[in-house]
Amino acid sequence: MTILFYKLLLGFIVGSIIGLFSYIARLLTTSGVLALIFVATVVCGFGSWRTRGLLILFFASSGCIHLSKKRINVTKTKSLVQKDHTRDAWQVLANSLPAIISLILFYYTENQLFLIGYVSGIAGATADTWGSEIGILSKKSPRSILSFKQIEPGLSGGVSMLGSIASFFGSLLISFSFWLVYNWHPIFQLPSSLFVIVPLICGVFDSLVDSLLGATLQTKYRCPICGQITEQTQHHLQQTKQISGISWMTNDWVNFFSSCLTVLLSWIILFYLQYSLH
């Protein structure tokens, strides 16, 4: 219990430092900083340096991509998306909470299924973030994941070749890093190749489910002035009209449900493999 307290304290300090720099760089709002401190505290308290490293890798890589975009002044989604790219608490927790729950379950059970679930959740968050941040740079308009018709860049439910490739490599970064630091660990009885394959598949799955939910269930509006489809409730200072989706299903909820399904998928895969081997 004493060790856990010091690990939680360390997580609080590290999270505060990262949160401060993220706030200065306008990567996080005030609530986003508080959520990051909470996430860092829990991951540090219930995880190892390896699990902390994966979380830092996710935040650092996503932050670098976002800051690089700021330097080239990418602004073509501001009138479409519900929130800008400065993340608040809901955005931070929606991407990380399912993974954190899986990590806590691993701490108390030492079942590798839950550790893979944590890694898959982080891989999914990275894949989704990279896909969104890099996909918007594509010179070709994205296409709806349902109809394959061209839609406005940045609108939920769209996919592009560049964004899909970015999602794959984002998931691969986390999966391969996990394999590097855990493949020799004695708690694992499964082939080490699965340390890469399962989180990689689940990470890509997350980005696809996110686009699918964004195209079908996420609420969208139409501007009465210009007729543009948007995720904002106001456009040109006028109230927009809902045209599709569920009224409460925002992008934050889409991210949360995608993350939940991603972690759940990894549990199912590992449970099946464990059962098959025994």
Side-chain angles (χ1 to χ4, degrees), residues 71-273:
R71 291 181 66 87
I72 60 177
N73 196 27
V74 177
T75 60
K76 45 182 165 178
T77 67
K78 283 189 175 180
S79 64
L80 297 179
V81 296
Q82 182 188 21
K83 298 178 180 180
D84 60 26
H85 291 284
T86 304
R87 295 176 178 267
D88 60 21
W90 294 117
Q91 290 169 296
V92 173
L93 294 176
N95 281 304
S96 60
L97 195 57
I100 289 174
I101 292 173
S102 194
L103 180 64
I104 294 174
L105 289 173
F106 173 70
Y107 177 83
Y108 284 109
T109 65
E110 295 188 357
N111 188 327
Q112 59 192 5
L113 176 151
F114 296 117
L115 179 60
I116 298 291
Y118 167 78
V119 179
S120 297
I122 300 299
T126 307
D128 180 49
T129 303
W130 280 34
S132 300
E133 294 280 3
I134 297 177
I136 196 65
L137 301 176
S138 176
K139 294 181 179 180
K140 295 182 179 180
S141 296
R143 294 182 178 274
S144 168
I145 195 172
L146 292 179
S147 66
F148 298 104
K149 295 180 179 179
Q150 289 188 348
I151 62 175
E152 290 291 332
L155 199 63
S156 295
V159 293
S160 67
M161 181 61 71
L162 180 61
S164 299
I165 293 174
S167 293
F168 174 83
F169 280 102
S171 182
L172 180 63
L173 173 68
I174 300 299
S175 304
F176 184 70
S177 300
F178 172 63
W179 175 81
L180 283 178
V181 298
Y182 263 109
N183 73 87
W184 52 268
H185 204 281
I187 69 169
F188 291 104
Q189 292 80 41
L190 296 174
S192 62
S193 59
L194 294 177
F195 302 171
V196 175
I197 295 173
V198 174
L200 176 61
I201 292 174
C202 292
V204 174
F205 170 82
D206 183 286
S207 64
L208 293 175
V209 170
D210 186 271
S211 296
L212 186 61
L213 293 179
T216 55
L217 300 182
Q218 184 174 337
T219 183
K220 293 186 179 67
Y221 307 89
R222 188 183 299 277
C223 175
I225 305 298
C226 66
Q228 188 176 59
I229 298 177
T230 177
E231 297 172 11
Q232 298 179 349
T233 55
Q234 285 195 339
H235 201 248
H236 291 114
L237 302 179
Q238 296 292 322
Q239 190 74 23
T240 52
K241 181 180 180 181
Q242 183 181 351
I243 59 171
S244 64
I246 304 173
S247 59
W248 55 266
M249 184 66 76
T250 63
N251 187 250
D252 292 339
W253 280 112
V254 166
N255 288 335
F256 176 72
F257 287 130
S258 299
S259 298
C260 288
L261 290 173
T262 298
V263 173
L264 181 61
L265 175 64
S266 71
W267 290 354
I268 293 172
I269 293 175
L270 262 294
F271 179 80
Y272 172 78
L273 292 174

